[in-house]
């Protein structure tokens, strides 16, 4: 009898030990079953011609092979309102089952802080999968405008191409005008970098604030032929290859202005990355995060990024989630000041 009891207890123990492993395998199988044979959609918050489009195309080419079930992924470009249109779509209209992922604006949280009633989404509720690279931008002016420095822009007007008030560029340009007194007119409504570049070439506008890596990757001839003058750069530290271009934040006049500058730059660490909808099941979210982390280490992915003149400096989905949480908890007094500078209504 004692032997039978010991045998029974050993059998129960083995079953209990195997239970978590079986549950984990079942969850993995469920995720693979869901994605197998499925076509996923990547919603890109800007047009195909800029850095969002480029990085989205690279990620789409490699992510699927790391997701259980190996789904096909297609791109849906949904530009508008400085990236807010895509965020609102992912929040309220896109399928909430993990079949739709997004490359949202890096300023998805900064814009919401500044326009809490206007923007119809909650940044902290998205599930962030990871970041491919952080953000760094330059204030570029077309060579025929005769503006090579901020001092020149106090005498001659800059006509800035811009996607909309929710964009980082709109906020930064407005703050720079407040701090320096440059003559600035912002023209809104452009659907991504390609249309802004075209407007500069045609003379419709003569400037934009855009990603430094985008300019290098998509317009190397502009740099080679000195078709644009770089009068400032964003971020809290200079890009290694732009040592002589002043930081926009260096024009901040007071301690409060410098804190405002830090608030503006909270989108930088969010950068270019992926997220999925708020309602996605956590087992699928976790699988997508693992797939993203594997993708950014994949030699084929790294080789394509290098060949297409972009950069990989990744962060995990959990890290990006924390950047977004930090942004949403900034000092309301700073928010109110920046809202006033940018001309936003609460």
């Amino acid at each position: 009898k004692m032997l039978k009891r010991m045998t029974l207890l050993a059998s129960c123990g083995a079953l209990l030990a195997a239970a978590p492993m079986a549950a984990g395998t079942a969850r993995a199988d469920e995720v693979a079953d869901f994605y197998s044979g499925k076509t996923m959609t990547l919603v890109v918050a800007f047009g195909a011609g800029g850095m969002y489009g480029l990085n989205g195309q690279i990620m789409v080419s490699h992510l699927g092979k790391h997701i259980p079930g190996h789904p096909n992924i297609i791109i849906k470009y949904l530009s508008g309102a400085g990236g807010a249109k895509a965020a609102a779509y992912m929040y309220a209209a896109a399928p909430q089952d993990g079949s739709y992922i997004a490359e949202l604006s890096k300023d998805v949280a900064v814009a919401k802080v500044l326009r809490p009633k206007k923007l119809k989404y909650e940044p902290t509720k998205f599930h962030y999968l990871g970041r491919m690279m952080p953000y760094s931008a330059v204030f570029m002016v077309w060579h025929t405008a005769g503006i090579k420095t901020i001092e020149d822009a106090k005498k001659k007007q800059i006509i800035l191409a811009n996607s909309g008030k929710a964009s980082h560029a709109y906020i930064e340009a407005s703050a720079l005008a407040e701090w320096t007194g440059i003559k600035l007119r912002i023209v809104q409504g452009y659907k991504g970098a390609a249309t802004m570049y075209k407007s500069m070439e045609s003379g419709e506008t003569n400037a934009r604030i855009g990603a430094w890596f985008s300019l290098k990757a998509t317009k190397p001839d502009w740099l080679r032929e000195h078709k644009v003058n770089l009068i400032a750069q964003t971020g809290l530290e200079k890009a290694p290859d732009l040592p002589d271009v002043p930081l926009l934040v260096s024009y901040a006049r007071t301690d409060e202005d410098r804190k405002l500058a830090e608030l503006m730059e909270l989108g930088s660490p969010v950068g270019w990355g992926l997220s999925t909808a708020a309602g996605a099941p956590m087992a699928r979210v976790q699988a997508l995060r693992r797939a993203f982390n594997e993708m950014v280490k994949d030699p084929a992915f790294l080789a394509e990024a290098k060949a297409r003149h972009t950069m990989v400096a990744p962060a995990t989905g959990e890290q990006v989630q924390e950047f977004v949480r930090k942004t949403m908890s900034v000092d309301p007094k700073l928010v109110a000041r920046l809202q006033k500078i940018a001309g936003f209504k609460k």
Side-chain angles (χ1 to χ4, degrees):
K1 289 182 179 179
M2 181 65 71
L3 182 60
K4 286 182 179 179
R5 287 175 185 166
M6 290 176 67
T7 303
L8 181 61
L9 287 170
S11 299
C12 290
L15 287 170
L16 289 170
M21 187 179 298
T25 302
R27 285 195 295 271
D29 289 344
E30 288 170 6
V31 172
D33 288 344
F34 175 78
Y35 286 114
S36 181
K38 189 175 291 295
T39 295
M40 295 177 65
T41 298
L42 168 62
V43 176
V44 177
F46 295 92
M51 205 65 180
Y52 283 91
L54 174 63
N55 285 341
Q57 291 156 21
I58 295 171
M59 288 188 282
V60 153
S61 298
H62 298 272
L63 182 65
K65 67 182 178 180
H66 297 285
I67 298 173
H70 310 302
N72 179 46
I73 308 176
I74 61 172
I75 295 182
K76 175 186 179 73
Y77 296 102
L78 193 61
S79 59
K85 183 176 180 180
Y89 174 79
M90 286 298 295
Y91 188 71
Q96 301 287 301
D97 58 2
S99 63
Y100 270 56
I101 56 178
E103 187 186 15
L104 298 177
S105 167
K106 64 186 175 14
D107 297 309
V108 64
V110 174
K112 178 64 177 182
V113 164
L114 292 172
R115 309 180 79 190
K117 294 181 180 178
K118 179 74 173 179
L119 302 185
K120 305 301 182 182
Y121 62 84
E122 293 299 331
T124 57
K125 292 188 178 181
F126 293 125
H127 298 292
Y128 298 90
L129 309 181
R131 181 198 76 197
M132 177 177 168
M133 60 184 285
Y135 180 82
S136 175
V138 289
F139 197 139
M140 64 189 86
V141 184
W142 194 246
H143 64 104
T144 58
I147 298 172
K148 295 183 178 182
T149 66
I150 293 294
E151 289 302 313
D152 293 336
K154 295 178 183 179
K155 303 167 187 174
K156 296 182 179 180
Q157 186 181 62
I158 288 178
I159 305 172
L160 188 82
N162 183 253
S163 58
K165 278 193 172 186
S167 73
H168 196 252
Y170 184 95
I171 298 165
E172 287 182 318
S174 299
L176 186 62
E178 167 82 8
W179 296 337
T180 65
I182 61 172
K183 295 182 178 180
L184 178 68
R185 179 160 69 91
I186 302 177
V187 181
Q188 301 176 56
Y190 290 96
K191 305 296 184 182
T195 59
M196 295 186 212
Y197 287 146
K198 187 176 180 180
S199 77
M200 291 169 66
E201 289 180 309
S202 69
E204 184 174 275
T205 65
N206 59 24
R208 76 172 292 242
I209 296 176
W212 173 225
F213 276 92
S214 174
L215 183 62
K216 290 198 294 183
T218 62
K219 295 291 183 182
D221 56 312
W222 281 19
L223 297 172
R224 187 173 56 250
E225 298 169 16
H226 305 289
K227 289 187 175 180
V228 287
N229 296 314
L230 309 182
I231 65 171
Q233 62 178 302
T234 69
L236 298 176
E237 295 182 359
K238 290 184 177 181
D241 49 355
L242 293 176
D244 299 323
V245 178
L247 285 168
L248 184 147
V249 300
S250 68
Y251 294 99
R253 302 163 300 182
T254 65
D255 286 343
E256 184 179 64
D257 286 346
R258 280 184 282 277
K259 289 178 181 178
L260 285 175
E262 291 175 7
L263 168 58
M264 287 191 299
E265 300 306 327
L266 284 175
S268 179
V270 173
W272 287 278
L274 300 180
S275 59
T276 192
M282 281 310 299
R284 295 173 196 169
V285 171
Q286 290 164 358
L288 291 173
R289 283 178 169 173
R290 285 192 295 270
F292 189 95
N293 292 342
E294 291 171 7
M295 178 192 71
V296 294
K297 298 174 185 175
D298 184 335
F301 170 80
L302 294 170
E304 183 176 354
K306 183 178 180 180
R308 299 185 72 176
H309 306 290
T310 187
M311 180 178 77
V312 180
T316 67
E318 291 86 353
Q319 288 171 325
V320 176
Q321 202 94 36
E322 179 59 20
F323 295 142
V324 170
R325 186 206 63 76
K326 181 179 178 182
T327 302
M328 296 303 295
S329 61
V330 295
D331 185 345
K333 292 181 180 178
L334 284 178
V335 173
R337 172 80 194 284
L338 196 53
Q339 284 173 328
K340 183 177 180 181
I341 289 173
F344 294 156
K345 294 180 179 179
K346 296 181 181 181

